[in-house]
Every structure is written in structure tokens, then in C-alpha cells.
Amino acid sequence: MNNPPLLRFATMQDAPGLSKAVKRLIDDIPYYNDLAKNHETERYNAHALSEKIKEDPYSVIIAHTENEIAGFCFSRFDDYTIWLEWFGVVKEFRGARITKQLLQKLEETVIERKCHKIWCDCRTSNQSAIHLLTATGYSQIATIKNHWYNQDFIIWERQVAS
């Protein structure tokens, strides 16, 4: 990797390449069952991502090089909070602190979106996400057993504005 990836808000033209990056990342996840993988891949297909970007231009942040998408962060305005739906970095770019940069860029959207908090979830077995969320100031607020896709999840929050 010669130059570090750049961060920006995605455009509708990014949707096809982004959906391929999401699928690659989801297919490689060891802690998601097949039901979750199939549903999440469909949820973030190119058409759905185009609609998401059109509806909320702050909702999709990408890290990219000249030729490919290295990582992404999906969020949604959720009753004056921001739901951090998904974040990830494709395998070839892991270890370059891209995820922290994506989360920082997401925090910058809080004022424009008139929100005070970001919340998210992760699998209880996702040690990478647990470490990252803890290191970036998120607090665990609940663990939900046998929930989405019949799997266990941790709910997190980060207060970012008053």
C-alpha cells in the first residue's frame, strides 16, 4: 500500500464497487451465521446503497484508494441518535487504523444531523470490534442473548454532543 486510503462521503456512483467490498468482507466473517451473511449482503446491495446515499448523504463513508474501496462506515439517523449500522475494512487494508478514521469522520456528522449520541451493536464473539469500540470511547450498555439472526449481541453507545 503506497498511499494511505482517503476518506469521503460516498456517492451513488460508488455503490456498485462498495457492494462488492461489503460482500467480500461479509463472506469472510467467521462470527456470522449463514442467515446473517445472506441477509446483510442483500441489505447492502448496489441498489440499496444507492438509495441509502440518496436519502442521507452522510450515511455512507468510504476509505478508498485510486482503484478500490478499502473500508466503509454505514450509519442511519435514528430518532436524533445515529445508528452505526456497519463498519469494516477489507482484509488487504487491515492494520492501517482506517476504522478509527472512519469512526472519527462519522462523529463529525453529529452536528449536521442534530444528534447527541452514536449507538451500535456487535456480536459478542467479535473481539476486534469490542476492542476498537472500547478504545474509541464507546460504552457497553447491554448484552442481548439469542437476538438478531438467533445470535448474541452487545449494544454500545458513545455520547458525542450535548
Side-chain angles (χ1 to χ4, degrees), residues 103-114:
L103 294 178
Q104 288 171 339
K105 183 92 170 155
L106 175 64
E107 286 183 27
E108 293 171 13
T109 72
V110 169
I111 293 171
E112 287 295 324
R113 293 162 110 180
K114 297 179 176 50

Side-chain angles (χ1 to χ4, degrees), residues 5 13-14 19 24-25 30 44 47 71-73 99 104 108 112 129 138 140 161:
Q13 292 78 15
D14 295 313
S19 70
R24 281 183 51 215
L25 188 129
Y44 298 107
H47 176 73
F72 55 86
C73 177
T99 311
Q104 288 171 339
E108 293 171 13
E112 287 295 324
Y138 285 75
Q140 291 185 28

Side-chain angles (χ1 to χ4, degrees), residues 96-145:
R97 303 180 56 89
I98 295 169
T99 311
K100 284 186 179 183
Q101 294 172 23
L102 288 165
L103 294 178
Q104 288 171 339
K105 183 92 170 155
L106 175 64
E107 286 183 27
E108 293 171 13
T109 72
V110 169
I111 293 171
E112 287 295 324
R113 293 162 110 180
K114 297 179 176 50
C115 296
H116 66 284
K117 161 172 44 176
I118 300 171
W119 72 277
C120 64
D121 60 76
C122 76
R123 286 293 323 282
T124 56
S125 56
N126 186 343
Q127 293 302 312
S128 296
I130 291 168
H131 175 76
L132 176 74
L133 291 167
T134 300
T136 54
Y138 285 75
S139 302
Q140 291 185 28
I141 57 175
T143 300
I144 305 174
K145 302 281 186 187

Side-chain angles (χ1 to χ4, degrees), residues 11-88:
T11 66
M12 290 173 56
Q13 292 78 15
D14 295 313
L18 181 55
S19 70
K20 289 177 186 169
V22 171
K23 181 170 179 7
R24 281 183 51 215
L25 188 129
I26 289 173
D27 285 347
D28 198 37
I29 292 176
Y31 41 81
Y32 256 19
N33 62 27
D34 288 340
L35 177 64
K37 287 181 179 187
N38 292 336
H39 187 257
E40 292 297 299
T41 298
E42 183 59 29
R43 176 182 281 173
Y44 298 107
N45 67 39
H47 176 73
L49 286 168
S50 291
E51 290 299 312
K52 181 174 187 50
I53 293 164
K54 183 167 64 173
E55 182 179 301
D56 179 357
Y58 298 113
S59 68
V60 179
I61 302 166
I62 60 171
H64 66 93
T65 65
E66 284 184 33
N67 303 318
E68 64 186 314
I69 293 176
F72 55 86
C73 177
F74 303 151
S75 65
R76 181 185 315 168
F77 179 84
D78 183 38
D79 298 328
Y80 294 93
T81 65
I82 295 172
W83 173 28
L84 171 53
E85 296 176 272
W86 254 97
F87 60 89

